Amino acid sequence: MTRRTEWPDSAGFDSAAGDAENRSRRSRGAASEKDGTAGDGGGSVPSRAGSGPPRTPEEQARAICLRLLTGSPRTRRQLADALRERGIPDEAAEEVLARFEDVGLINDAAFADAWVESRHHGRGLARRALARELRTKGVDSALIDEAVGRLDAEQEESTARELVDRKLRTTRGLDRDKRLRRLAGMLARKGYPEGLALRVVRRALEEEGEDPDLLDHHLPDA
């Protein structure tokens, strides 16, 4: 996995949402200049200043989604949950979400790819932890598998070693057992499998000068 994407600037979501919002604002402005209110025709969203919330559920849903997407990319499930919490009827929510998917403002595949790259490079999370996070955001299992599958085992092990190397400096002076627990525990919390974690920790300690025979006693299966 060589390409690196920063989060949350991904997939052009922010610019697309901003363009849609600007078009909506121009439409509302033109209507307001004509008769002092937002027009009813053409699906225009009423002006936010002094006219209250949008009149129809679809208009409310569009405004909510645009506002959320302008802040950061969201999955379809996250937006659906937000609309439900705000009392938008399911039929109206489904119509707006489908339209946003059609124009590319919602793209769960791109979201998952960007999330994996950012959270792996930025936080050092392993595939298991990344998959767990994406599930909580409602990404489909097939899309999760595809996104985390781009993070190969070699890259995952290299990142684990970088994490251990940084942590080693803060554990010097501790007894061997405590160092092992802290280093292996740090990798476990980031989703690395036990076998990989122990192997990486053992190699790092051996290179630092630890006696391999003593490590055999503490890490017999590494």
Side-chain angles (χ1 to χ4, degrees), residues 42-195:
S44 298
V45 179
S47 173
R48 293 175 183 173
S51 63
R55 295 188 179 95
T56 70
E58 290 79 10
E59 289 170 343
Q60 292 181 52
R62 284 196 295 272
I64 292 167
C65 289
L66 283 173
R67 184 170 63 251
L68 292 174
L69 288 170
T70 300
S72 66
R74 308 290 176 113
T75 67
R76 182 184 174 117
R77 218 274 298 278
Q78 286 178 306
L79 292 172
D81 289 345
L83 295 178
R84 190 174 302 111
E85 290 172 1
R86 290 161 174 79
I88 303 298
D90 289 343
E91 184 177 351
E94 179 63 27
E95 177 182 335
V96 171
L97 293 172
R99 176 58 179 161
F100 272 46
E101 279 189 323
D102 288 343
V103 301
L105 288 172
I106 301 174
N107 187 330
D108 282 2
F111 180 99
D113 287 344
W115 187 270
V116 167
E117 289 195 16
S118 175
R119 298 285 284 178
H120 178 73
H121 291 292
R123 297 288 302 277
L125 298 186
R127 286 175 287 188
R128 185 167 58 187
L130 293 165
R132 183 169 58 246
E133 288 186 339
L134 288 170
R135 281 195 296 271
T136 68
K137 296 182 180 299
V139 178
D140 181 78
S141 296
L143 296 179
I144 293 174
D145 291 342
E146 185 176 353
V148 300
R150 294 192 176 96
L151 180 62
D152 59 39
E154 183 178 350
Q155 176 63 58
E156 192 174 51
E157 183 164 345
S158 175
T159 301
R161 179 57 195 266
E162 291 173 6
L163 293 169
V164 169
D165 286 344
R166 289 200 295 267
K167 190 72 171 177
L168 273 175
R169 294 191 292 270
T170 68
T171 63
R172 289 184 184 130
L174 299 177
D175 65 68
R176 185 178 295 106
D177 284 339
K178 187 171 289 187
R179 293 189 83 188
L180 292 173
R181 286 196 301 271
R182 288 198 180 180
L183 294 170
M186 177 267 296
L187 291 179
R189 288 190 296 274
K190 291 181 179 292
Y192 290 90
E194 182 181 15

